[in-house]
Amino acid sequence: MARNILRKSFYKSPAQLRLMIEPGKATGAALAAMKREIKVGMTTLELDAIAEQAIRDLGGEPNFMLEPGYRHTICASVNEHVVHGIPNDRPLEPGDMVSLDVGAIIKGWNGDAAITVVLPDPERPERTERQQKLSQVTHDAMWHGIAQLAHGTHLNEVGDAIAKHVRKVSDFGIVEDYIGHGIGRKMHEAPPVFNYPVNFAGPEIKPGLCVAIEPIISEGRPETIVLDDDWTVAMADGKMSCQWEQTVAVHKDGIWVLTAEDGGAAGLKPFGITPVPIA
Ligand code: MG
């Protein structure tokens, strides 16, 4: 009989949470380096090399490369591409909206995070404004979800918080085909982290919980398709989408955003929450 994997706890010990600090930092450093360097004319393959260097400089290895069949450090999803975009040699243009997703592994433990960057187009200010709003709503929805880990009792309240914010400030869609996840020795592990309300409570929020929170918000309908390269996911209606992601640990003294350079201090400030480093 197969072993019941659900019986294995996904809550981490304090020592295990400490092992997630370094890969979190390397992941955050890769995102920071790309954010610093990205500009019109640059290619996503060049950004891929920048991210790889940042991870290796901190003693890490890009964990996306360990996925069977994938050869890059980042996924770069531009405009109507949602997630899993493959870096390529097309120079970025004004008006591109670029989601950059990256992860690092150090000593067998993983980090996973994503940002979105809007490259303004002075000739299409209305497009730039729409992109900036989509990115802002997604970014803020992610922080609403993260904040819920600081005062919530069950994990699915994260999805409630994300959806409540999106619906309050926009008429955007919430993509349901891809969700957040537990993270540790594996980049993707239990438990699932929904970005929308579901009709069960989910696991308890308590010390040892470590999850990647990654809402994907769409300008139009939330349905997605997979392109012919068998990787890239696009919006079915061809409109734009956006993703932000952080890896967050719940520990006995509070929460700590492992993939944010400031532990989440800036993002959590509007909620009156101060992140606490893992001791
Ligand atoms: Mg992820």
Side-chain angles (χ1 to χ4, degrees), residues 78-129:
V78 182
N79 300 332
E80 78 283 5
H81 293 166
V82 189
V83 288
H84 304 168
I86 303 171
N88 61 34
D89 57 7
R90 171 175 88 72
L92 293 169
E93 295 168 12
D96 281 340
M97 178 176 201
V98 192
S99 283
L100 300 165
D101 191 356
V102 67
I105 182 166
I106 296 182
K107 292 179 190 144
W109 294 83
N110 289 277
D112 187 9
I115 57 171
T116 290
V117 179
V118 173
L119 297 171
D121 184 349
E123 282 167 25
R124 290 180 294 172
E126 184 267 347
R127 176 184 170 89
T128 298
E129 220 168 276

Side-chain angles (χ1 to χ4, degrees), residues 14 16 24 61 70 123 245:
Q16 290 175 324
E61 195 182 341
Y70 201 72
E123 282 167 25
E245 176 181 22

